[in-house]
Amino acid sequence: MKIRVWDLPLRLFHWVLVLLLIVSFVTQYVGGNAMDWHFRAGYAVLVLVAFRLIWGFVGPRYARFSSFIYGPSTILGYLRSRQGKQYLGHNPLGSLSVFALLGVVLAQAVTGMFANDDIVNEGPLVRFISKDLSDQLTWIHKDVTAWLLLTLVGLHLLALVWYAVVRKRNLVMPMISGDQEVGAAEVAPQPAQDSWKQRLLALAILTLLSAAMVWLVNLRPTYL
């Protein structure tokens, strides 16, 4: 049987973030006028990550961080198990991926707000810091978090393939449909809430965060 695990706002967050990361990396390598879209994608990524952090506390049960925080013994036990217990929502290995990706994507987006290329492009908050600090954050943005993000994405894709081949579990379709196939004995007392009330709450949060981003991007130092 199937049970609703991933709510619509979370699914949209996931796939829009994937698209924006692709746009960010492509426009970075294309350069030139494409950098305008690189910055726009970066702003959107920062809004999405901020939304996910908030949704991790106010969203439906399986979107909340409290539902997939596991201790080291649980994670090791899951890795050692041949079949692996089926979890509704993120399993112990998936939880590590979620926290790592959110942390690195957040660091990548934030440092990009202060980065520069020593030519014409610079983040909207460069004007608030010194050139030396901007250069250091640019190095982190281009040579540290960017490669960490590519590594984590690669590991994430490998994990999806491993689950599909070794454990015969499709982890992609549930993030599309929102429903997870489970045995009757594994069904939780309640499925995730995916009502229009929840969706409107998510839209309100995104709207406020987007307005805050527009304000931040256009903010000017008082001494200018």
Side-chain angles (χ1 to χ4, degrees), residues 15-191:
W15 295 114
V16 174
L17 181 62
V18 170
L19 177 62
L20 288 173
L21 290 178
I22 292 173
V23 171
S24 296
F25 278 104
V26 171
T27 52
Q28 169 67 32
Y29 285 104
V30 171
N33 293 332
M35 287 301 295
D36 291 338
W37 288 102
H38 179 80
F39 282 106
R40 290 167 186 155
Y43 304 150
V45 166
L46 194 52
V47 168
L48 280 181
V49 173
F51 164 78
R52 182 63 185 95
L53 294 177
I54 295 173
W55 206 238
F57 294 97
V58 303
R61 59 186 306 169
Y62 302 109
R64 297 194 179 196
F65 299 133
S66 59
S67 72
F68 56 92
I69 295 178
Y70 302 99
S73 59
T74 302
I75 297 173
L76 289 174
Y78 181 81
L79 291 173
R80 291 170 180 169
S81 173
R82 290 187 177 182
Q83 295 299 322
K85 174 185 174 182
Q86 187 173 4
Y87 287 79
L88 285 175
H90 293 297
N91 59 50
L93 189 60
S95 70
L96 293 179
S97 176
V98 170
F99 289 122
L101 280 168
L102 283 177
V104 173
V105 171
L106 179 61
Q108 178 74 354
V110 170
T111 53
M113 299 287 282
F114 298 92
N116 73 87
D117 65 359
D118 280 326
I119 305 176
V120 295
N121 297 301
E122 61 181 25
L125 302 185
V126 166
R127 51 185 172 267
F128 291 96
I129 62 175
S130 67
K131 180 62 165 58
D132 287 342
L133 181 55
S134 176
D135 289 342
Q136 292 174 14
L137 293 174
T138 300
W139 172 75
I140 294 173
H141 180 76
K142 295 176 64 176
D143 297 326
V144 179
T145 54
W147 288 106
L148 278 176
L149 181 54
L150 286 173
T151 300
L152 289 173
V153 169
L155 290 174
H156 185 68
L157 294 175
L158 286 175
L160 293 177
V161 173
W162 182 78
Y163 272 99
V165 174
V166 178
R167 294 195 167 173
K168 309 300 181 184
R169 294 178 186 170
N170 187 333
L171 301 183
V172 177
M173 281 307 300
M175 191 54 72
I176 295 175
S177 67
D179 299 327
Q180 184 174 333
E181 190 77 36
V182 295
E186 297 169 311
V187 176
Q190 294 180 350

